[in-house]
Amino acid sequence: MIEGARWRRWVFFNLPLALFVLGLLFPFYWMMVTTVRPDAELYRPWMAPNYTPFWTLHPTLDHIRYLLDETLFSRWMLNTFFISVAATAISLFCGLLAGYALSRLKFPFAGSLGTGIFITYLVPQTLLFIPLADIIRNFRLGDTPWALILTYPTFLIPFCTWLLMGYFKAIPRELEECARIDGATRWQAMVYIVFPVAVPGILSAGIFAFTLSWNEFIYALVFLSSPEQKTVSVGITSELVRGDVFYWGSLMAGALLGSVPVALIYSFFVEYYVAGITGSVKG
Amino acid sequence: MAVDSVAAARPYVAAPRRGPITRVLEHEPWFAFFLLLPTAVLLGLFIAYPFIKGVLLAVTDAKVGVPGNFVGLQNFAVLMNDSIFRIAVWNTILYTAVTTVFKLALGLWLALLLNRHFRAKALTRAFVLLPFIIPTVLSTFAWKWMFDPTFSVINWTLFHLGIIRTRINWLGDPGLALISVMIVNVWRGVPFYAISLLAGLQTISPELAEAAAIDGARPWQRFRYITWPLLLPVTMVVVLFSVIQTFADFQLVYVLTGGGPANATQLFATYAYQIGVGTGLLGEGAAISLAMFPVLLVVVVVQLLYIRRVETH
């Protein structure tokens, strides 16, 4: 609802919104243009008269070809995918059980346990990576995907737990009580009655966990060392930047392709994603 | 047929047979204990244990491959006199404070825009969130390429708009590097603020603003006296959460500048990485990481107190 003359709508609404969208999306457009731009056009100084920043005259797939043929990119994608799926599965499993216990059951120290889990959510990875690297080495997990699959849940579980607690609280207790009167055990009431109702919450927690795992960087950087074990972010950083030389075309191609899985998942489930942020903020 | 009706007619008396495991699980505290066990094991093993180990490391002179001896608070004393550490502390504070102000202001503005009705609203909202979804390291590389002094599209645009006259070395100039890093951080953070605040805005009844408009309140007054006070609880949670993330930021700076030039963009996390992993001084690196903790603790306590206060109201 915007009152007043038409120009007011332009000045106070259309123009600012257009600038926001342009500013927020431009880097992605830049990624795409760079990916298909041949080196001859890519390395043309911005002062040069024939600098055409926003389009390319001779699009090429060379950079993508280099990325797929000459680097371990597809391997990194598989690694990242496997790690993200496994870490998400573990986190959802733990988060579901813990979220149910904290929102539904009465037991000593329930409140302080909930607070404790909340606090661990706020411990950033950059605080722990040095001692954790030592522990990972001692457990002989260094340079294996398990180093990440087991450590990512530490920041995913608290998140899933808190998000799901909100969902569980909204489910009426009577549902469960009816099942219990009909002879269901606590376990059965939880798995067959409460969990199915919480599916939207499980989905949004899962999407969040997956995108957060795909995004993680410092643990992957510190715990993995051999090229064939790396995740996308780390692989690109270490293999397409050699000293001062940046393989910009392939680097942008890698950034683009590495973003596709999260962007796809996100576009399918955007409503759950937004609902997830909304829930976690309000809760 | 006959059998069925007999079975149906028989009143349901006893619960089905239950084994010892089921019996334990029927006891509420035990059930809770088993449900929380996997979480407790993982968080204990990979958060609580490393945290304690980090504190123990910070009071030794351990290096990679060398266990190290107890040296008390010597690492912290060294840090106090370390000029790079002091730069890192100052940079981190500045980085967090400045970006938080901009992220909040721009995020709120965008949220107010998105809260109106217009065509393609859902699509716009979906696109606007992209910087927050796409892995930070990958989108940061796009920025690094856009900032490149020789091939910079930003320089080209500013030059052709008549804003600059010579080339700007965004990441190579110590005076500009921190500002450049902040720009990228704001770019990445605005969508999160916008969507969270939009969620908050949608819980506020539009009738309130309409009633105020009928009473003659100008748009700014309606925002100042109605929207803002009602939005404050959500804003607090978003800001505190974002402050923690920003304060401990690593990826952005690692990719853009690596802490340089001449430590102009060094933050807590990048310096800890440089000392702990790059140089291999585990004790000192752990001490740098740990020095973040008191600040983060204050933020967490403020957040917990605030949430509790809101809940009791």
Side-chain angles (χ1 to χ4, degrees):
Chain A
M1 187 188 67
I2 297 150
E3 64 262 57
R6 204 169 185 171
W7 67 269
R8 289 182 65 97
R9 189 181 166 91
W10 276 96
V11 172
F12 291 110
F13 182 69
N14 292 1
L15 194 67
L17 189 64
L19 285 177
F20 266 115
V21 171
L22 196 73
L24 290 172
L25 295 186
F26 183 73
F28 302 118
Y29 177 72
W30 194 238
M31 245 185 223
M32 286 184 225
V33 172
T34 307
T35 301
V36 296
R37 197 188 292 250
D39 276 345
E41 272 183 61
L42 203 55
Y43 297 109
R44 197 177 279 172
W46 65 272
M47 284 295 232
N50 54 358
Y51 181 78
T52 52
F54 302 119
W55 61 87
T56 186
L57 299 172
H58 312 283
T60 171
L61 292 178
D62 283 353
H63 299 309
I64 295 177
R65 209 169 293 137
Y66 178 86
L67 185 74
L68 297 179
D69 292 348
E70 307 295 320
T71 71
L72 292 165
F73 185 77
S74 38
R75 179 72 203 254
W76 303 330
M77 288 288 271
L78 270 179
N79 290 345
T80 317
F81 192 80
F82 173 61
I83 290 165
S84 300
V85 168
T88 301
I90 293 177
S91 308
L92 275 182
F93 175 76
C94 294
L96 262 176
L97 301 187
Y100 179 87
L102 290 172
S103 64
R104 290 292 212 194
L105 302 177
K106 283 190 202 69
F107 56 96
F109 311 113
S112 36
L113 264 171
T115 309
I117 291 182
F118 180 64
I119 288 175
T120 57
Y121 177 40
L122 298 171
V123 175
Q125 289 100 287
T126 44
L127 190 73
L128 297 178
F129 71 97
I130 293 175
L132 202 49
D134 222 31
I135 292 167
I136 292 292
R137 249 196 314 273
N138 290 343
F139 289 167
R140 299 188 186 286
L141 295 170
D143 210 23
T144 67
W146 294 103
L148 304 184
I149 292 171
L150 290 173
T151 51
Y152 284 1
T154 55
F155 57 88
L156 302 176
I157 291 175
F159 177 80
C160 293
T161 306
W162 273 81
L163 202 144
L164 289 166
M165 272 173 72
Y167 271 88
F168 289 144
K169 275 183 190 150
I171 297 170
R173 272 175 189 284
E174 288 77 25
L175 268 181
E176 233 176 316
E177 278 158 13
C178 287
R180 302 268 295 139
I181 290 166
D182 286 347
T185 61
R186 278 187 196 283
W187 175 263
Q188 286 167 333
M190 177 181 84
V191 174
Y192 297 113
I193 307 295
V194 179
F195 285 0
V197 185
V199 164
I202 298 172
L203 257 177
S204 61
I207 299 160
F208 259 101
F210 185 83
T211 51
L212 287 174
S213 319
W214 197 283
N215 197 345
E216 207 284 332
F217 184 63
I218 193 165
Y219 283 178
L221 179 71
V222 176
F223 303 160
L224 307 176
S225 49
S226 48
E228 58 273 12
Q229 295 292 346
K230 287 176 177 168
T231 60
V232 172
S233 297
V234 181
I236 283 180
T237 312
S238 63
E239 309 294 313
L240 290 167
V241 181
R242 308 236 176 90
D244 283 345
V245 182
F246 288 75
Y247 294 73
W248 279 115
S250 306
L251 198 53
M252 289 297 102
L256 194 65
L257 295 181
S259 308
V260 166
V262 263
L264 269 182
I265 288 190
Y266 163 72
S267 67
F268 280 123
F269 298 101
V270 61
E271 288 310 314
Y272 289 110
Y273 197 91
V274 173
I277 295 189
T278 314
S280 67
V281 168
K282 282 188 208 145
Chain B
M1 291 294 163
V3 178
D4 267 7
S5 58
V6 169
R10 190 164 56 202
Y12 191 75
V13 194
R17 60 201 165 75
R18 288 174 175 180
I21 297 172
T22 312
R23 232 174 297 134
V24 173
L25 288 184
E26 285 304 291
H27 182 62
E28 213 162 319
W30 275 114
F31 188 46
F33 173 81
F34 285 112
L35 293 183
L36 285 164
L37 196 60
T39 297
V41 169
L42 272 174
L43 295 187
L45 217 51
F46 295 113
I47 285 209
Y49 176 43
F51 185 78
I52 295 164
K53 181 127 187 169
V55 175
L56 295 177
L57 257 181
V59 293
T60 67
D61 58 359
K63 298 179 182 63
V64 171
V66 184
N69 305 307
F70 178 77
V71 293
L73 295 176
Q74 192 193 305
N75 286 329
F76 294 97
V78 169
L79 288 180
M80 289 302 216
N81 294 315
D82 179 353
S83 61
I84 300 177
F85 179 72
R86 268 182 290 185
I87 292 173
V89 172
W90 173 239
N91 281 347
T92 308
I93 293 170
L94 199 66
Y95 178 72
T96 309
V98 173
T99 59
T100 301
V101 169
F102 277 94
K103 280 186 276 193
L104 178 58
L106 292 173
L108 182 58
W109 189 7
L110 183 55
L112 289 169
L113 292 174
L114 290 174
N115 198 31
R116 292 171 166 183
H117 294 291
F118 59 96
R119 262 176 290 150
K121 183 174 170 175
L123 194 71
T124 312
R125 201 178 55 177
F127 272 119
V128 152
L129 252 179
L130 270 180
F132 181 64
I133 318 291
I134 301 299
T136 312
V137 168
L138 304 182
S139 59
T140 304
F141 268 116
W143 277 95
K144 189 174 170 85
W145 177 222
M146 279 162 46
F147 277 137
D148 188 283
T150 314
F151 307 104
S152 173
V153 65
I154 297 178
N155 280 356
W156 184 89
T157 310
L158 293 179
F159 183 82
H160 284 266
L161 288 174
I163 296 169
I164 60 164
R165 312 201 60 173
T166 52
R167 74 171 212 164
I168 297 181
N169 190 354
W170 291 94
L171 300 171
D173 181 335
L176 278 175
L178 192 59
I179 295 174
S180 311
V181 174
M182 285 174 181
I183 291 173
V184 183
N185 181 280
V186 170
W187 172 81
R188 198 191 115 72
V190 162
F192 172 68
Y193 274 80
I195 291 297
S196 312
L197 295 177
L198 179 65
L201 283 174
Q202 283 171 349
T203 61
I204 301 173
S205 160
E207 281 146 34
L208 285 172
E210 277 163 23
I214 290 165
D215 290 344
R218 307 293 307 148
W220 165 251
Q221 290 172 319
R222 299 202 297 262
F223 175 76
R224 172 70 187 78
Y225 295 105
I226 295 170
T227 313
W228 179 247
L230 290 171
L231 197 59
L232 198 60
V234 173
T235 311
M236 276 289 282
V237 174
V238 176
V239 168
L240 288 172
F241 177 73
S242 148
V243 162
I244 291 174
Q245 296 294 320
T246 314
F247 199 84
D249 204 3
F250 174 79
Q251 318 189 6
L252 255 166
V253 176
Y254 179 83
V255 169
L256 285 175
T257 63
N263 296 308
T265 57
Q266 200 70 268
L267 304 180
F268 265 112
T270 53
Y271 194 45
Y273 176 80
Q274 196 172 310
I275 297 293
V277 179
T279 320
L281 297 170
L282 292 180
E284 213 178 307
I288 297 169
S289 285
L290 213 59
M292 264 192 284
F293 187 67
V295 181
L296 296 178
L297 189 68
V298 170
V299 181
V300 172
V301 168
V302 167
Q303 178 148 8
L304 284 175
L305 289 178
Y306 187 79
I307 288 172
R308 197 151 295 166
R309 213 187 54 143
V310 170
E311 273 173 359
T312 50
H313 270 304

